[in-house]
Amino acid sequence: FSGVLGQALILVSEAALAALILLLLVLTDWQMALAVSLYFGLIIWLFNFFSRKVLTRSGLAFAEGSVRVNQSISNLLVAFREISVLSKKPAYLSELAQSRGEVARAQATNDYLAGLPRIIVEIGLIVGATSLFGWQYFLGTPSDLFTLSVFLMASLRMMSALLPLQRAFQFLRYEKPQAQSAQDFLSRRTAPASASPRASVARIKTAGAENNTMGGIAVVCQNVSLGYADDKSGINALEGISLEIPSSSNVAFIGPSGAGKTSLVDVMLGFLSPSNGSVELDGLAPLTFRDLRPGEISYVPQKPGLVAGTVQENIALGVPRIDVDQDKLWDAIKAASLQEFVETLPNGPNTFLGNHADSISGGQVQRLGLARALYTN
């Protein structure tokens, strides 16, 4: 908003200055003033005619790309562990790289077009002066330097008036999509609340979630120790941990705060590398296991991170929309006791959570985290 308003003020002041310069030229030589105004006005108009669509597209790409860049980074931060465990980091990093590329190309296009008008107008000045001199030579009056001098002086004055106007118009056209987005946001925030109609939602399958046929994962820790480099106490978070968890077992680690429960889970998941010892999941190192068998491990933190997107995108993390298995999605929703909540949303699982963030309770966020873990079975 501040950028657009600032350029609008510049536009008004430069337009006033241009009018005064044109008035001065008219008082000096109205015929030359008219000719120069029409000549350079036509050059600027042609440039705007051919560049306005490019500028509008670039401004829109910059605005939308900037939002997607921030969302991609935010998604990676708020749900980093879940995304990592499910081996979906490449999908989010690819989205981030694509969005950054769009932003860079849009900004490069704007910077390139910003420098063109002066070059075009200067070329127009050289062509105009050369043409005038050639015309005088053709008429046999090459010694009439006064007319050429007046043309050059008038041209320089018109350039100083038109180029700032051109820059202001270009900036406003490029920034319009971002300002419009902000204006729409404020309009939605200040509009009176209205009850959204409850849309019909497809009947949820009555069958329960499919049984896990993978048989679970065996975990073996051999003499695992873990120390943190920034811990000056010299005490390891884990010291000589050896244990074996058979597949299909239910295991709980219980202990006071600081006992090393989270550190042990982080080592098992491959987020931390032990200082000594080894961890194997079905005979594989945790990172290797996650790469070779994505989706077989799920992770539900105390506070699941919500990514920017729909309910479906929060449950099927990193899965392209067209590839989401709707049967598995609804099975996960039902198993996590989210059916009633999803049914109240305007578009069911395709409802964007950003518009309903204030109405989501902590328990519903936890259930979304559970559904996310259950989606991959």
Side-chain angles (χ1 to χ4, degrees), residues 87 217-221 266-274 277-294 297:
S87 298
I217 301 166
V219 181
V220 177
C221 296
D266 284 347
V267 169
M268 288 181 175
L269 294 176
F271 289 126
L272 297 175
S273 299
S278 63
V279 177
E280 292 184 349
L281 308 179
D282 276 356
L284 300 172
L287 288 177
T288 304
F289 183 95
R290 280 161 41 189
D291 289 339
L292 296 179
R293 296 162 64 176
I297 301 177

Short mmCIF file of all heavy atoms in Angstrom, two decimals, residues 87 217-221 266-274 277-294 297:
data_model
loop_
_atom_site.label_atom_id
_atom_site.label_comp_id
_atom_site.label_asym_id
_atom_site.label_seq_id
_atom_site.Cartn_x
_atom_site.Cartn_y
_atom_site.Cartn_z
N SER A 87 9.13 -38.81 4.19
CA SER A 87 9.99 -38.66 3.01
C SER A 87 9.34 -37.77 1.96
O SER A 87 9.40 -38.04 0.76
CB SER A 87 10.33 -40.03 2.41
OG SER A 87 11.03 -40.82 3.33
N ILE A 217 7.53 -52.89 12.26
CA ILE A 217 8.95 -52.65 12.00
C ILE A 217 9.73 -53.00 13.25
O ILE A 217 9.41 -52.53 14.35
CB ILE A 217 9.20 -51.18 11.63
CG1 ILE A 217 8.38 -50.79 10.39
CG2 ILE A 217 10.67 -50.90 11.39
CD1 ILE A 217 8.30 -49.30 10.16
N ALA A 218 10.75 -53.81 13.10
CA ALA A 218 11.62 -54.17 14.22
C ALA A 218 12.68 -53.08 14.42
O ALA A 218 13.27 -52.61 13.45
CB ALA A 218 12.28 -55.51 13.97
N VAL A 219 12.90 -52.69 15.68
CA VAL A 219 13.86 -51.64 16.00
C VAL A 219 14.93 -52.22 16.91
O VAL A 219 14.61 -52.89 17.91
CB VAL A 219 13.18 -50.44 16.70
CG1 VAL A 219 14.19 -49.35 17.01
CG2 VAL A 219 12.05 -49.90 15.84
N VAL A 220 16.20 -51.98 16.58
CA VAL A 220 17.31 -52.46 17.39
C VAL A 220 18.27 -51.30 17.64
O VAL A 220 18.75 -50.66 16.70
CB VAL A 220 18.07 -53.62 16.69
CG1 VAL A 220 19.28 -54.04 17.53
CG2 VAL A 220 17.14 -54.80 16.46
N CYS A 221 18.52 -51.02 18.91
CA CYS A 221 19.51 -50.01 19.30
C CYS A 221 20.67 -50.73 20.00
O CYS A 221 20.45 -51.52 20.94
CB CYS A 221 18.91 -48.98 20.26
SG CYS A 221 17.58 -47.99 19.54
N ASP A 266 14.23 -39.24 18.40
CA ASP A 266 14.88 -38.55 17.29
C ASP A 266 15.98 -39.40 16.67
O ASP A 266 16.18 -39.39 15.45
CB ASP A 266 15.45 -37.21 17.76
CG ASP A 266 14.38 -36.14 17.96
OD1 ASP A 266 13.25 -36.37 17.48
OD2 ASP A 266 14.68 -35.10 18.56
N VAL A 267 16.72 -40.13 17.50
CA VAL A 267 17.76 -41.02 16.98
C VAL A 267 17.12 -42.16 16.20
O VAL A 267 17.60 -42.55 15.12
CB VAL A 267 18.62 -41.55 18.14
CG1 VAL A 267 19.53 -42.68 17.65
CG2 VAL A 267 19.47 -40.43 18.72
N MET A 268 16.02 -42.71 16.72
CA MET A 268 15.34 -43.81 16.02
C MET A 268 14.79 -43.36 14.66
O MET A 268 14.80 -44.13 13.69
CB MET A 268 14.19 -44.34 16.87
CG MET A 268 14.61 -45.13 18.09
SD MET A 268 13.16 -45.72 19.00
CE MET A 268 13.97 -46.72 20.25
N LEU A 269 14.32 -42.13 14.59
CA LEU A 269 13.74 -41.61 13.34
C LEU A 269 14.79 -41.10 12.37
O LEU A 269 14.48 -40.80 11.22
CB LEU A 269 12.74 -40.49 13.64
CG LEU A 269 11.49 -40.88 14.41
CD1 LEU A 269 10.65 -39.65 14.73
CD2 LEU A 269 10.65 -41.86 13.61
N GLY A 270 16.04 -40.96 12.83
CA GLY A 270 17.10 -40.48 11.95
C GLY A 270 17.26 -38.98 11.94
O GLY A 270 18.02 -38.46 11.12
N PHE A 271 16.58 -38.27 12.85
CA PHE A 271 16.76 -36.82 12.92
C PHE A 271 18.10 -36.46 13.55
O PHE A 271 18.68 -35.42 13.25
CB PHE A 271 15.64 -36.17 13.73
CG PHE A 271 14.31 -36.19 13.02
CD1 PHE A 271 13.20 -36.73 13.64
CD2 PHE A 271 14.18 -35.69 11.75
CE1 PHE A 271 11.97 -36.76 13.00
CE2 PHE A 271 12.96 -35.71 11.10
CZ PHE A 271 11.86 -36.25 11.72
N LEU A 272 18.59 -37.33 14.44
CA LEU A 272 19.89 -37.13 15.09
C LEU A 272 20.73 -38.38 14.87
O LEU A 272 20.21 -39.50 14.86
CB LEU A 272 19.72 -36.87 16.59
CG LEU A 272 18.96 -35.60 16.99
CD1 LEU A 272 18.79 -35.56 18.51
CD2 LEU A 272 19.69 -34.36 16.51
N SER A 273 22.03 -38.18 14.69
CA SER A 273 22.96 -39.31 14.56
C SER A 273 23.61 -39.55 15.91
O SER A 273 24.11 -38.61 16.55
CB SER A 273 24.02 -39.00 13.50
OG SER A 273 23.43 -38.80 12.23
N PRO A 274 23.62 -40.80 16.37
CA PRO A 274 24.21 -41.07 17.69
C PRO A 274 25.71 -40.80 17.69
O PRO A 274 26.39 -40.99 16.67
CB PRO A 274 23.90 -42.55 17.91
CG PRO A 274 23.70 -43.13 16.55
CD PRO A 274 23.10 -42.03 15.72
N GLY A 277 27.46 -46.03 18.86
CA GLY A 277 26.44 -47.04 18.71
C GLY A 277 25.70 -46.93 17.39
O GLY A 277 26.07 -46.14 16.50
N SER A 278 24.64 -47.73 17.25
CA SER A 278 23.90 -47.78 15.99
C SER A 278 22.43 -48.05 16.25
O SER A 278 22.05 -48.59 17.29
CB SER A 278 24.48 -48.87 15.08
OG SER A 278 24.31 -50.16 15.67
N VAL A 279 21.61 -47.65 15.28
CA VAL A 279 20.17 -47.90 15.30
C VAL A 279 19.79 -48.52 13.97
O VAL A 279 20.25 -48.05 12.91
CB VAL A 279 19.37 -46.60 15.52
CG1 VAL A 279 17.87 -46.88 15.46
CG2 VAL A 279 19.73 -45.95 16.84
N GLU A 280 18.97 -49.57 14.01
CA GLU A 280 18.52 -50.22 12.79
C GLU A 280 17.01 -50.41 12.82
O GLU A 280 16.45 -50.78 13.86
CB GLU A 280 19.21 -51.59 12.61
CG GLU A 280 20.69 -51.49 12.32
CD GLU A 280 21.31 -52.86 12.06
OE1 GLU A 280 20.62 -53.88 12.31
OE2 GLU A 280 22.48 -52.91 11.62
N LEU A 281 16.38 -50.14 11.70
CA LEU A 281 14.96 -50.39 11.51
C LEU A 281 14.83 -51.47 10.45
O LEU A 281 15.17 -51.23 9.29
CB LEU A 281 14.23 -49.12 11.06
CG LEU A 281 14.43 -47.85 11.89
CD1 LEU A 281 13.66 -46.69 11.28
CD2 LEU A 281 14.01 -48.06 13.34
N ASP A 282 14.41 -52.63 10.87
CA ASP A 282 14.38 -53.79 9.96
C ASP A 282 15.72 -53.98 9.27
O ASP A 282 15.81 -54.28 8.08
CB ASP A 282 13.28 -53.63 8.91
CG ASP A 282 11.92 -54.08 9.44
OD1 ASP A 282 11.86 -54.58 10.58
OD2 ASP A 282 10.92 -53.92 8.72
N GLY A 283 16.81 -53.78 10.02
CA GLY A 283 18.15 -54.00 9.50
C GLY A 283 18.72 -52.86 8.71
O GLY A 283 19.84 -52.98 8.17
N LEU A 284 18.02 -51.75 8.61
CA LEU A 284 18.49 -50.59 7.85
C LEU A 284 18.69 -49.39 8.76
O LEU A 284 18.00 -49.24 9.78
CB LEU A 284 17.48 -50.23 6.75
CG LEU A 284 17.17 -51.29 5.70
CD1 LEU A 284 16.02 -50.82 4.81
CD2 LEU A 284 18.39 -51.60 4.86
N ALA A 285 19.64 -48.53 8.39
CA ALA A 285 19.78 -47.25 9.10
C ALA A 285 18.51 -46.44 8.91
O ALA A 285 17.85 -46.53 7.87
CB ALA A 285 20.99 -46.49 8.58
N PRO A 286 18.11 -45.62 9.92
CA PRO A 286 16.83 -44.89 9.82
C PRO A 286 16.67 -44.08 8.54
O PRO A 286 15.62 -44.12 7.90
CB PRO A 286 16.86 -43.99 11.06
CG PRO A 286 17.69 -44.74 12.05
CD PRO A 286 18.76 -45.43 11.23
N LEU A 287 17.71 -43.31 8.15
CA LEU A 287 17.59 -42.49 6.93
C LEU A 287 17.42 -43.37 5.69
O LEU A 287 16.63 -43.06 4.80
CB LEU A 287 18.80 -41.58 6.78
CG LEU A 287 18.90 -40.41 7.76
CD1 LEU A 287 20.20 -39.64 7.53
CD2 LEU A 287 17.71 -39.47 7.61
N THR A 288 18.17 -44.47 5.64
CA THR A 288 18.04 -45.39 4.51
C THR A 288 16.65 -46.01 4.47
O THR A 288 16.04 -46.14 3.40
CB THR A 288 19.11 -46.49 4.60
OG1 THR A 288 20.40 -45.90 4.67
CG2 THR A 288 19.04 -47.42 3.39
N PHE A 289 16.15 -46.39 5.65
CA PHE A 289 14.81 -46.98 5.73
C PHE A 289 13.76 -46.00 5.21
O PHE A 289 12.88 -46.37 4.42
CB PHE A 289 14.50 -47.37 7.18
CG PHE A 289 13.17 -48.05 7.34
CD1 PHE A 289 13.07 -49.43 7.34
CD2 PHE A 289 12.00 -47.31 7.48
CE1 PHE A 289 11.85 -50.06 7.48
CE2 PHE A 289 10.77 -47.93 7.62
CZ PHE A 289 10.69 -49.31 7.62
N ARG A 290 13.85 -44.74 5.63
CA ARG A 290 12.87 -43.75 5.20
C ARG A 290 12.93 -43.51 3.71
O ARG A 290 11.90 -43.28 3.06
CB ARG A 290 13.09 -42.44 5.96
CG ARG A 290 12.51 -42.45 7.37
CD ARG A 290 13.11 -41.38 8.26
NE ARG A 290 13.29 -40.10 7.59
CZ ARG A 290 13.95 -39.08 8.11
NH1 ARG A 290 14.49 -39.21 9.32
NH2 ARG A 290 14.06 -37.94 7.46
N ASP A 291 14.14 -43.56 3.13
CA ASP A 291 14.27 -43.33 1.69
C ASP A 291 13.74 -44.52 0.89
O ASP A 291 13.09 -44.33 -0.13
CB ASP A 291 15.74 -43.08 1.33
CG ASP A 291 16.23 -41.72 1.81
OD1 ASP A 291 15.36 -40.85 2.04
OD2 ASP A 291 17.45 -41.55 1.96
N LEU A 292 14.01 -45.74 1.35
CA LEU A 292 13.63 -46.93 0.61
C LEU A 292 12.18 -47.34 0.85
O LEU A 292 11.55 -47.94 -0.02
CB LEU A 292 14.56 -48.10 0.96
CG LEU A 292 16.04 -47.93 0.59
CD1 LEU A 292 16.85 -49.15 1.03
CD2 LEU A 292 16.20 -47.71 -0.90
N ARG A 293 11.66 -47.02 2.02
CA ARG A 293 10.31 -47.45 2.36
C ARG A 293 9.50 -46.26 2.91
O ARG A 293 9.08 -46.24 4.07
CB ARG A 293 10.36 -48.59 3.39
CG ARG A 293 11.02 -49.84 2.83
CD ARG A 293 11.47 -50.82 3.89
NE ARG A 293 10.37 -51.39 4.65
CZ ARG A 293 10.51 -52.33 5.58
NH1 ARG A 293 11.72 -52.83 5.84
NH2 ARG A 293 9.46 -52.79 6.25
N PRO A 294 9.29 -45.24 2.06
CA PRO A 294 8.58 -44.03 2.53
C PRO A 294 7.14 -44.35 2.92
O PRO A 294 6.47 -45.16 2.29
CB PRO A 294 8.63 -43.10 1.30
CG PRO A 294 8.78 -44.01 0.14
CD PRO A 294 9.61 -45.16 0.63
N ILE A 297 6.68 -45.29 8.23
CA ILE A 297 6.78 -44.71 9.58
C ILE A 297 5.92 -43.46 9.61
O ILE A 297 5.94 -42.66 8.69
CB ILE A 297 8.23 -44.33 9.93
CG1 ILE A 297 9.14 -45.55 9.86
CG2 ILE A 297 8.29 -43.69 11.32
CD1 ILE A 297 10.60 -45.20 10.13
#
